[in-house]
Amino acid sequence: ALINQLDQEIINTGGDYFSEQVNSLFVKIRKNNKWGITKLNQWIIEPKYDYLGDLNDGIFMAQIDGKYYYFDTTGKKITDKNFPLAGDFSEGLAFVSYNDTFYFLNTKGELALRSNIPIFSSFKYGVCIMYSAGKFGLINKKGELVADMIYDNMSEFIEGRAIVEIGYLKNFILPNGKLLCKSSYEAVTPFSEGIASVLKNGSWGLIDSNGKEIGGFQYDYIEPFCNGFARVYSAGLSGFINKKGKLIVPLEYATVKP
């Protein structure tokens, strides 16, 4: 049961029970292996769903018997439609499949944008990753293709940049569809604190958020930056560099810790 501060029973959950705090108002509750949501200790979504997503853009997504539904924070469905395939809301839109066609659903429950290309992700930084015939591209919220479907792989956007691959070469793409770096690399890591590690001619170096190379390429590997520093490796030894690529802890140790 849910108990208030006076040790009074608020909701008799009964049977199998698990709760997950969403925020100060909402609690996701699993009762007898079915999910529901309470708001200020009152059920707004009865515990009958096989899956309940997180609160995104003021909307919960729920799934039962292979069909997805969307609810607002009062527990009311934003549309009577149900969907065999759906995603969480992000930036005001959620991708759904309806009548064998891909759409973006807005927070009013309207099918706001139709897509002829299968959708691969939610919107982030104003764009969505698309996937078709083994290739990735980007569209904006107008449904316009801002990056052609030419990439063999594309990561999610981190710090406004996504990793893209063509063949064995990697680069970063911006939300406007332009590539960040003039040349591609053998390997890259996601951006962290405005810096990414890149592999060039068998050695690792750094680039900044504008794609400019920082210092030389001389390491066997560079870990992502954390609190302004990154661990580097060379010839079995490790040390730390700063964001200017300068060694702060020299390469004299088998192991170094932050």
Side-chain angles (χ1 to χ4, degrees):
L2 292 183
I3 308 297
N4 65 16
Q5 294 178 340
L6 300 177
D7 289 331
Q8 298 169 329
E9 183 177 292
I10 301 171
I11 295 177
N12 181 12
T13 55
D16 170 55
Y17 166 69
F18 174 81
S19 67
E20 178 183 333
Q21 192 82 31
V22 177
N23 55 31
S24 59
L25 294 178
F26 301 99
V27 179
K28 292 168 61 175
I29 295 175
R30 187 188 69 206
K31 178 181 179 182
N32 297 327
N33 212 32
K34 297 292 183 180
W35 288 92
I37 293 179
T38 62
K39 179 180 182 181
L40 297 176
N41 305 321
Q42 299 293 324
W43 290 110
I44 62 167
I45 300 177
E46 292 294 325
K48 63 179 184 180
Y49 292 93
D50 300 318
Y51 168 81
L52 267 175
D54 294 325
L55 181 65
N56 293 289
D57 294 344
I59 306 293
F60 290 102
M61 180 177 68
Q63 185 261 346
I64 184 172
D65 297 331
K67 298 177 181 179
Y68 290 87
Y69 301 84
Y70 292 94
F71 297 85
D72 65 19
T73 53
T74 68
K76 181 182 178 181
K77 291 179 181 178
I78 66 170
T79 175
D80 291 330
K81 295 181 177 67
N82 62 74
F83 310 97
L85 180 65
D88 285 321
F89 270 87
S90 177
E91 298 186 4
L93 294 169
F95 71 84
V96 297
S97 175
Y98 186 69
N99 289 340
D100 298 321
T101 302
F102 288 97
Y103 292 89
F104 287 99
L105 188 76
N106 63 24
T107 55
K108 297 179 180 179
E110 302 166 335
L111 297 173
L113 179 64
R114 179 177 176 176
S115 172
N116 294 321
I117 305 173
I119 301 159
F120 193 75
S121 75
S122 300
F123 271 97
K124 196 171 184 180
Y125 296 99
V127 292
C128 174
I129 300 173
M130 313 297 286
Y131 177 79
S132 180
K135 299 293 182 180
F136 293 83
L138 292 173
I139 66 166
N140 60 22
K141 291 184 178 180
K142 296 180 181 179
E144 301 167 335
L145 200 63
V146 295
D148 291 335
M149 308 289 293
I150 61 173
Y151 298 100
D152 297 321
N153 203 358
M154 185 180 295
S155 75
E156 66 174 326
F157 277 86
I158 297 176
E159 296 190 9
R161 286 133 184 84
I163 299 170
V164 291
E165 298 180 24
I166 294 182
Y168 296 102
L169 295 177
K170 299 173 178 61
N171 206 322
F172 293 90
I173 197 168
L174 302 172
N176 61 11
K178 295 182 179 180
L179 293 176
L180 176 67
C181 306
K182 294 181 179 179
S183 59
S184 297
Y185 297 96
E186 298 151 36
V188 300
T189 66
F191 272 87
S192 176
E193 299 184 1
I195 304 291
S197 305
V198 295
L199 181 66
K200 181 179 180 180
N201 297 326
S203 296
W204 286 85
L206 303 175
I207 61 170
D208 64 18
S209 59
N210 295 314
K212 182 181 178 181
E213 295 178 357
I214 303 171
F217 289 76
Q218 54 186 308
Y219 299 107
D220 295 336
Y221 186 64
I222 305 175
E223 292 185 357
F225 273 84
C226 180
N227 298 320
F229 302 97
R231 185 162 26 212
V232 295
Y233 300 86
S234 180
L237 298 176
S238 57
F240 277 95
I241 59 173
N242 63 16
K243 291 185 178 181
K244 295 181 179 180
K246 182 179 179 181
L247 272 171
I248 301 302
V249 176
L251 288 161
E252 298 176 354
Y253 308 95
T255 304
V256 291
K257 295 182 179 181

